[in-house]
Amino acid sequence: MVIAEHMDFLTDKAVAVSTIPFLLLMVPQIITNFQEPDKAGTLKWAGIASGGIGNLLLASFFMSANEKKQALIQAIGAFTNTVVVVQVFMCKDEYGNRSVPTVPFFIILIVMIIGLILPGLRAVTDRSKRLFEGWLKLTTVVGMSALCFSLATQCVDTFSVKEGALTIQSISAGVGLLVGVVLLVTGKGGGTVGGSLATALFMFLPVPQLIGNLVDPTEALDGFNVVFIYLNTLGNGLGMSRAIYTRNYVWMAGAVWGCYVGGVLLSITCVIGNRQLAKRKMSPAQEIMLLIFQGLFILYTLAVLYFDRQAKYWEAHSNASFEMDDDNIVVEMDGNAINEAHLMENGDILTVQAQPSEE
């Protein structure tokens, strides 16, 4: 099959194309926030900030793996998420309190600036290699602290904790920081752990919105732009094809979660929440279009899995040589002789089903 034979090329180009939806991912939300700044304060900033830090750490992880296209995409995601967090920070409630606490906001901002500059320098010059490697180790500390902070913030928001909310968040972040330092000192930290934590943070991005759609749809859907779901599903879906093909499980976990939790499940909760509103945010036609889109995406996923399987099979057998000796077939594959084989024609791919001979 032509697609199977060129899977490496096609998935690499898919990642390049995914730059477009990821570049535009937060643009509709940013525009909505400018048009209706008062509603920006209702957005779940903890999820957005967590997703941004997750993008940031994944940019470093992919840069260390020399996946520069994906590193660029993650850096774009980190930047646009930060812009939204800044917009939410600028909002104040009726008592004059900011929607994002000041101390966490500036810590997030500093981490974002440093985390964007260092991978960028590593991409353009080798002189920053040691500095980047140091930052890569620190991603374990940053990721663990940010993850604990995000989880605490979600608990505070879900249970409507007002008194001592910042204290709970600070203690949680401190515990995460301590655990991260321990991992680093014991030699268990580094790029892979940082990448895993980054994926966990990235996975956290849609969770507050998803919960809000079910618990309090009036507030959750008020300032939410549904175009985010389409772009998020497209971007992660294109990257998912490459993650599956390269068997990069950290990337795969984040992409699949982004597609199916941040896409399919989020779409379902938006429709459920929308139907609970007295004044609906989406028309019936928009609801149907959203669900059809996600149904087509599921079919796309099945196609990717099918062609990936064919591609791996083709690669495994493309270097095999065959010799006929009367009724016996001798197969030479990667230097190993196999005495018994059964050949069959499958399209334009010669497939081999073989059992190693016993000596």
Side-chain angles (χ1 to χ4, degrees), residues 104-184:
F105 170 75
F106 281 104
I107 292 174
I108 291 168
L109 198 61
I110 291 168
V111 170
M112 286 290 187
I113 292 171
I114 295 173
L116 286 172
I117 290 174
L118 293 180
L121 289 174
R122 180 69 186 92
V124 297
T125 176
D126 287 335
R127 294 181 180 179
S128 61
K129 184 177 179 180
R130 292 184 64 182
L131 193 62
F132 176 73
E133 288 175 350
W135 161 252
L136 204 60
K137 292 179 180 178
L138 285 176
T139 56
T140 301
V141 179
V142 174
M144 187 63 75
S145 181
L147 182 60
C148 290
F149 176 81
S150 299
L151 292 173
T153 302
Q154 181 58 47
C155 291
V156 165
D157 289 345
T158 302
F159 297 106
S160 301
V161 178
K162 300 297 182 184
E163 296 293 331
L166 187 57
T167 302
I168 294 171
Q169 293 165 334
S170 299
I171 292 173
S172 299
V175 171
L177 185 71
L178 183 62
V179 172
V181 170
V182 171
L183 288 173
L184 194 61

Side-chain angles (χ1 to χ4, degrees), residues 94-295:
E94 56 201 58
Y95 303 106
N97 300 317
R98 294 195 178 276
S99 298
V100 181
T102 303
V103 175
F105 170 75
F106 281 104
I107 292 174
I108 291 168
L109 198 61
I110 291 168
V111 170
M112 286 290 187
I113 292 171
I114 295 173
L116 286 172
I117 290 174
L118 293 180
L121 289 174
R122 180 69 186 92
V124 297
T125 176
D126 287 335
R127 294 181 180 179
S128 61
K129 184 177 179 180
R130 292 184 64 182
L131 193 62
F132 176 73
E133 288 175 350
W135 161 252
L136 204 60
K137 292 179 180 178
L138 285 176
T139 56
T140 301
V141 179
V142 174
M144 187 63 75
S145 181
L147 182 60
C148 290
F149 176 81
S150 299
L151 292 173
T153 302
Q154 181 58 47
C155 291
V156 165
D157 289 345
T158 302
F159 297 106
S160 301
V161 178
K162 300 297 182 184
E163 296 293 331
L166 187 57
T167 302
I168 294 171
Q169 293 165 334
S170 299
I171 292 173
S172 299
V175 171
L177 185 71
L178 183 62
V179 172
V181 170
V182 171
L183 288 173
L184 194 61
V185 171
T186 56
K188 295 181 180 179
T192 303
V193 176
S196 300
L197 290 169
T199 301
L201 285 164
F202 180 73
M203 287 177 168
F204 190 73
L205 171 61
V207 173
Q209 185 66 45
L210 193 149
I211 294 173
N213 290 345
L214 298 174
V215 176
D216 187 9
T218 303
E219 181 177 334
L221 292 173
D222 190 34
F224 182 66
N225 195 311
V226 181
V227 177
F228 167 86
I229 297 176
Y230 289 99
L231 295 173
N232 184 57
T233 306
L234 282 172
N236 280 298
L238 290 167
M240 180 182 68
S241 66
R242 182 69 178 174
I244 291 172
Y245 177 74
T246 58
R247 298 297 189 270
N248 187 321
Y249 295 107
V250 172
W251 185 0
M252 193 188 303
V256 171
W257 181 277
C259 293
Y260 281 91
V261 176
V264 177
L265 270 181
L266 191 57
S267 297
I268 293 171
T269 60
C270 280
V271 172
I272 293 171
N274 187 59
R275 290 179 175 273
Q276 296 176 17
L277 300 177
K279 184 178 180 182
R280 295 186 178 181
K281 295 283 292 182
M282 293 186 292
S283 66
Q286 289 175 317
E287 290 180 350
I288 293 170
M289 187 182 299
L290 187 61
L291 295 177
I292 288 175
F293 174 80
Q294 296 301 344

